[in-house]
C-alpha cells in the first residue's frame, strides 16, 4: 500500500476544515446555533491540528457570534479579543471587518451604545475599503436604526 504524502493529507484536512467552517456559517445564518457551534468547533480543531493560524482566527470569530447569541458574552469577548488581534497581525482586512461587526453585535447585547456605534463605524469603513457594499450598507442601516430608536 502507498503511503499518502504529508502534503496530500494537509490538503484533505484543510478542505475538511473549510467545509466545516462554511457549514457553521450556514447553520448560524439559519439560527441553528448549536449546529453552528459544533461545525465551528470541528473546524477549529482541524485548524489547530494543522497549526493554521489564519483559519483559527475565522473559527474563533464564528464561535464568538454563536456565544453572543447564546448569551455567553464573556466567552464571546475572549474569542473576539483573540480574533481581532490575530486578524490585525495577519493584516486580513476581511477578518478585521468581520471582527468589528462581531464587536458591534457584542456591544449591542451588552447595551453599550457608545461602543456599539464605534464598532459599527469601524466595520462600515472596513467593508467600504474592501468594496463590500452590501455589508457596508447593512452597517449604515444598523446605525441609522439605532439612532432612530434613541
Amino acid at each position: 500500500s502507498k503511503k499518502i504524502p504529508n502534503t496530500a493529507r494537509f490538503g484533505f484536512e484543510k478542505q475538511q476544515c473549510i467545509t466545516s467552517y462554511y457549514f457553521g456559517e450556514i447553520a448560524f445564518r439559519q439560527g441553528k446555533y448549536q449546529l453552528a457551534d459544533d461545525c465551528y468547533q470541528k473546524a477549529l480543531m482541524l485548524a489547530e491540528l494543522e497549526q493554521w493560524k489564519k483559519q483559527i482566527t475565522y473559527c474563533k470569530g464564528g464561535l464568538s457570534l454563536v456565544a453572543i447569541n447564546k448569551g455567553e458574552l464573556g466567552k464571546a469577548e475572549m474569542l473576539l479579543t483573540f480574533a481581532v488581534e490575530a486578524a490585525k497581525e495577519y493584516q486580513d482586512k476581511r477578518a478585521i471587518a468581520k471582527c468589528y461587526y462581531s464587536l458591534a453585535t457584542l456591544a449591542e447585547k451588552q447595551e453599550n451604545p457608545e461602543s456599539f456605534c464605534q464598532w459599527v463605524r469601524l466595520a462600515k469603513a472596513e467593508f467600504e475599503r474592501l468594496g463590500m457594499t452590501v455589508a457596508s450598507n447593512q452597517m449604515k442601516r444598523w446605525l441609522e436604526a439605532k439612532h432612530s430608536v434613541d
Side-chain angles (χ1 to χ4, degrees), residues 135-150:
S136 174
N137 288 336
Q138 180 186 4
M139 296 301 101
K140 181 181 176 188
R141 286 189 305 274
W142 200 13
L143 207 51
E144 288 169 351
K146 202 67 166 171
H147 284 295
S148 70
V149 172
D150 294 339

Side-chain angles (χ1 to χ4, degrees), residues 48-65:
E48 287 175 339
L49 182 69
E50 296 298 330
Q51 299 176 2
W52 188 13
K53 293 180 180 178
K54 188 173 183 177
Q55 191 62 25
I56 291 169
T57 302
Y58 278 90
C59 293
K60 288 191 175 187
L63 286 167
S64 72
L65 286 172

Side-chain angles (χ1 to χ4, degrees), residues 21 26 29 37 40 83 85 90 95 105 110 115 117 127 143:
Y21 173 79
I26 293 165
R29 290 171 196 241
D37 189 82
Y40 288 138
E85 288 173 12
Y90 297 111
T105 304
Q110 292 172 327
S115 184
C117 289
F127 286 133
L143 207 51

Side-chain angles (χ1 to χ4, degrees):
S1 78
K2 288 184 178 180
K3 185 176 180 182
I4 297 173
N6 193 32
T7 54
R9 187 188 63 75
F10 178 80
F12 179 72
E13 298 288 334
K14 191 174 185 178
Q15 287 303 314
Q16 274 193 315
C17 180
I18 291 167
T19 302
S20 293
Y21 173 79
Y22 282 111
F23 278 146
E25 290 279 287
I26 293 165
F28 180 82
R29 290 171 196 241
Q30 292 176 341
K32 299 175 182 174
Y33 301 124
Q34 189 54 56
L35 178 59
D37 189 82
D38 294 343
C39 292
Y40 288 138
Q41 288 289 354
K42 180 179 179 182
L44 178 61
M45 179 198 66
L46 292 166
E48 287 175 339
L49 182 69
E50 296 298 330
Q51 299 176 2
W52 188 13
K53 293 180 180 178
K54 188 173 183 177
Q55 191 62 25
I56 291 169
T57 302
Y58 278 90
C59 293
K60 288 191 175 187
L63 286 167
S64 72
L65 286 172
V66 171
I68 290 168
N69 280 281
K70 290 171 125 183
E72 300 168 349
L73 304 185
K75 178 180 177 181
E77 193 164 7
M78 179 192 68
L79 289 163
L80 279 170
T81 298
F82 171 88
V84 76
E85 288 173 12
K88 286 179 179 180
E89 178 184 334
Y90 297 111
Q91 299 177 1
D92 185 334
K93 304 284 187 212
R94 182 175 170 269
I96 292 168
K98 288 184 77 169
C99 285
Y100 290 165
Y101 163 79
S102 297
L103 286 163
T105 304
L106 177 62
E108 182 181 45
K109 291 283 185 181
Q110 292 172 327
E111 298 180 5
N112 185 337
E114 295 83 20
S115 184
F116 168 80
C117 289
Q118 171 197 351
W119 292 121
V120 172
R121 286 187 185 106
L122 286 169
K124 181 180 178 296
E126 287 299 321
F127 286 133
E128 283 174 356
R129 272 193 277 282
L130 291 165
M132 297 174 72
T133 54
V134 171
S136 174
N137 288 336
Q138 180 186 4
M139 296 301 101
K140 181 181 176 188
R141 286 189 305 274
W142 200 13
L143 207 51
E144 288 169 351
K146 202 67 166 171
H147 284 295
S148 70
V149 172
D150 294 339

